[in-house]
């Protein structure tokens, strides 16, 4: 069977006519972010915000048309809305003079306006324990007496449902907005509550921006001292969107001690510096292993890498978290260590990091970051 090509898909989509304009959806430039992978096809259909869900028939017609092509296994088309001219980041980029700061993004009427500090937990690469740190940092801040929310924005690999053992779907508060799901005293929201585990990952790319915006704008967080945002790993478009739209008041960078991880951690630092998000500091995860018998520390991945990186970049070293079997076991069983064993040695590492973060946000909380376009 011939491989699916972009042209084959577009050719078929040209047969789908948009009733509103009377022209086909390709000619009308509605098809965006087309992704084809192993028989799975994903794209978004751009419509005006005013039209919204009324465009549903054209969306389903587009999906249906592609299923007729041999070799197509799944099709996911999502509706995305145009922003009115002048409202988009690109538009403000075009009109903002060089090096002039844009208005602070967190407006008084923003759904996030009841939140004191919005802190990204980020890493340059996956698998370094970013989500583990995000969950336990949120719980440690809660332990210190703060009201805390946790937003799992890791659209490619949401871990919060598993780490907190949440299988429910969020309820709708007022018919439009979603209510966070509460667990261990945290208000939580995850893209994983909304997306079926079985849904292929590939279509998520084109949706990242709109899904993230929705998670920021359409969740009834209420008043919180801290919202911890578990970022997608890396430094691409999704991360930039979040850094800009979430009006982050600070970022915590997580790395393991190896040089390969630290190279990417430096990229994450650079991204936050560029978007004027204050870097609260670096956490070194999986710093060392303590032998249960001899109590001797083994620096499996080398010693002190993140601390040196923090010093070189002029940022705070927030602390290290050794490799503890209990951290992994409790993550896997949905009972994170700070909730299940709050007085244990591993929990103490997170509480110490939370104390520094909370102190630092005391000094940063009033300063919403500006975005400077060079
Ligand atoms: P990321 O979010 O960076 O992809 P995770 O937080 O999902 O990483 O962690 C990856 C794996 O490593 C998980 O199984 C987690 O339980 C485990 N893990 C993370 N930190 C530690 C630690 N300090 N000690 C032991 N296991 C850890």
């Amino acid at each position: 069977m011939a491989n699916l090509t972009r042209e084959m898909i577009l050719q078929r989509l040209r047969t789908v006519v948009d009733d509103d304009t009377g022209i086909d959806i390709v000619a009308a430039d509605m098809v965006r972010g087309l992704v084809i992978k192993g028989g799975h096809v994903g794209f978004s259909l751009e419509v005006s915000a005013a039209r919204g869900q009324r465009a549903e028939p054209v969306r389903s017609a587009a999906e249906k048309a592609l299923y007729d092509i041999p070799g197509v296994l799944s099709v996911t088309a999502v509706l995305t809305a145009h922003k009115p001219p002048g409202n988009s980041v690109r538009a403000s980029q075009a009109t903002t003079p060089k090096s002039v700061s844009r208005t602070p993004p967190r407006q008084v009427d923003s759904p996030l306006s009841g939140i004191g500090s919005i802190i990204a937990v980020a890493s340059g690469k996956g698998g370094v324990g970013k989500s583990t740190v995000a969950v336990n940092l949120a719980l440690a801040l809660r332990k210190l007496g703060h009201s805390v929310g946790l937003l799992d924005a890791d659209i490619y690999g949401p871990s919060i449902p598993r780490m907190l053992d949440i299988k429910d779907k969020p309820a709708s508060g007022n018919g439009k907005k979603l209510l966070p799901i509460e667990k261990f005293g945290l208000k939580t929201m995850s893209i994983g509550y909304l997306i079926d585990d079985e849904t292929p990952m590939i279509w998520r790319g084109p949706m990242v921006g709109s899904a993230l915006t929705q998670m920021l704008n359409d969740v009834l967080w209420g008043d919180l001292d801290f919202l911890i945002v578990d970022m997608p790993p890396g430094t691409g478009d999704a991360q930039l969107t979040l850094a800009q739209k979430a009006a982050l008041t600070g970022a915590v960078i997580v790395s393991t001690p190896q040089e390969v991880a630290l190279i990417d951690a430096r990229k994450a630092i650079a991204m936050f510096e560029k978007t004027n998000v204050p870097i609260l500091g670096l956490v070194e995860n999986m710093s060392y292993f303590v032998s249960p018998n001899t109590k001797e520390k083994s620096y499996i991945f080398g010693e002190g890498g993140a601390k040196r990186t923090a010093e070189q970049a002029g940022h705070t070293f927030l602390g290290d978290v050794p490799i503890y079997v209990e951290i992994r076991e409790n993550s896997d069983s949905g009972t994170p260590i700070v909730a299940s064993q709050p007085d244990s040695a591993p929990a103490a590492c997170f509480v110490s990091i939370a104390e520094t973060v909370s102190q630092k946000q005391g000094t940063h909380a009033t300063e919403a970051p500006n975005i400077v376009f060079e």
Side-chain angles (χ1 to χ4, degrees):
M1 195 185 323
N3 273 347
L4 291 174
T5 63
R6 221 183 137 71
E7 198 35 53
M8 283 161 75
I9 302 294
L10 290 175
Q11 198 179 347
R12 187 59 62 100
L13 290 177
R14 284 190 190 99
T15 64
V16 180
V17 173
D18 178 18
D19 282 343
D20 253 33
T21 57
I23 45 179
D24 77 73
I25 57 174
V26 177
D29 198 21
M30 291 166 69
V31 179
R32 296 293 160 88
L34 176 61
V35 189
I36 307 164
K37 208 165 183 181
H40 301 287
V41 182
F43 58 94
S44 55
L45 273 187
E46 214 176 68
V47 295
S48 67
R51 192 170 164 201
Q53 282 303 317
R54 283 191 301 107
E56 174 55 26
V58 71
R59 189 202 66 79
S60 56
E63 279 193 355
K64 198 160 167 286
L66 296 185
Y67 274 114
D68 293 343
I69 303 177
V72 169
L73 300 175
S74 80
V75 184
T76 310
V78 291
L79 291 173
T80 54
H82 300 293
K83 292 193 181 83
N87 239 1
S88 68
V89 171
R90 200 166 295 167
S92 45
Q93 225 168 342
T95 51
T96 309
K98 194 170 191 280
S99 283
V100 172
S101 300
R102 199 154 65 90
T103 330
R106 189 133 48 106
Q107 311 287 328
V108 183
D109 61 351
S110 147
L112 304 176
S113 58
I115 302 174
S117 299
I118 305 180
I119 299 176
V121 176
S123 67
K125 65 194 286 122
V128 298
K130 169 184 58 60
S131 299
T132 305
V133 171
V135 168
N136 285 293
L137 172 62
L139 287 164
L141 286 165
R142 176 85 192 110
K143 189 169 187 281
L144 295 176
H146 299 291
S147 53
V148 186
L150 176 64
L151 171 62
D152 179 5
D154 189 347
I155 193 153
Y156 297 106
S159 345
I160 303 300
R162 179 178 47 82
M163 287 190 171
L164 297 181
D165 191 24
I166 295 176
K167 298 189 180 81
D168 309 332
K169 296 266 176 230
S172 165
N174 54 6
K176 286 188 190 136
K177 304 226 169 194
L178 295 173
L179 284 170
I181 297 181
E182 298 207 20
K183 189 90 187 244
F184 303 122
L186 302 177
K187 286 186 177 177
T188 74
M189 181 54 63
S190 168
I191 196 86
Y193 302 159
L194 309 171
I195 292 174
D196 189 343
D197 271 358
E198 303 293 311
T199 311
M201 287 284 177
I202 55 127
W203 63 268
R204 297 184 187 193
M207 276 188 64
V208 165
S210 56
L212 289 177
T213 310
Q214 202 176 349
M215 295 231 301
L216 289 169
N217 293 337
D218 296 347
V219 178
L220 292 169
W221 292 109
D223 290 341
L224 291 176
D225 297 325
F226 290 94
L227 178 65
I228 301 297
V229 183
D230 184 4
M231 298 280 283
T235 50
D237 284 351
Q239 292 75 4
L240 260 178
T241 303
L242 269 169
Q244 294 174 338
K245 291 199 176 154
L248 299 172
T249 55
V252 170
I253 316 285
V254 181
S255 182
T256 50
Q258 308 96 310
E259 189 50 31
V260 278
L262 291 166
I263 290 170
D264 289 333
R266 284 191 274 271
K267 287 187 197 156
I269 293 173
M271 181 188 79
F272 287 113
E273 285 176 343
K274 203 147 179 109
T275 45
N276 279 4
V277 175
I279 292 179
L280 304 177
L282 266 76
V283 171
E284 185 174 272
N285 190 31
M286 310 198 207
S287 295
Y288 53 86
F289 176 72
V290 184
S291 157
N293 302 326
T294 64
K295 302 290 172 215
E296 209 178 306
K297 290 181 182 176
S298 311
Y299 289 87
I300 300 170
F301 302 129
E303 193 175 347
K307 191 167 189 199
R308 271 193 305 279
T309 301
E311 281 164 4
Q312 282 159 5
H315 295 300
T316 305
F317 179 64
L318 292 170
D320 46 31
V321 181
I323 298 171
Y324 284 110
V325 176
E326 300 95 307
I327 292 185
R328 191 197 50 73
E329 284 173 350
N330 281 279
S331 283
D332 291 349
S333 61
T335 53
I337 194 89
V338 176
S340 57
Q341 298 171 38
D343 300 318
S344 62
C349 301
F350 294 109
V351 173
S352 156
I353 292 166
E355 278 166 349
T356 314
V357 164
S358 147
Q359 278 161 15
K360 293 196 118 207
Q361 280 294 264
T363 58
H364 280 303
T366 50
E367 259 176 58
N370 287 350
I371 296 173
V372 178
F373 294 109
E374 296 297 341

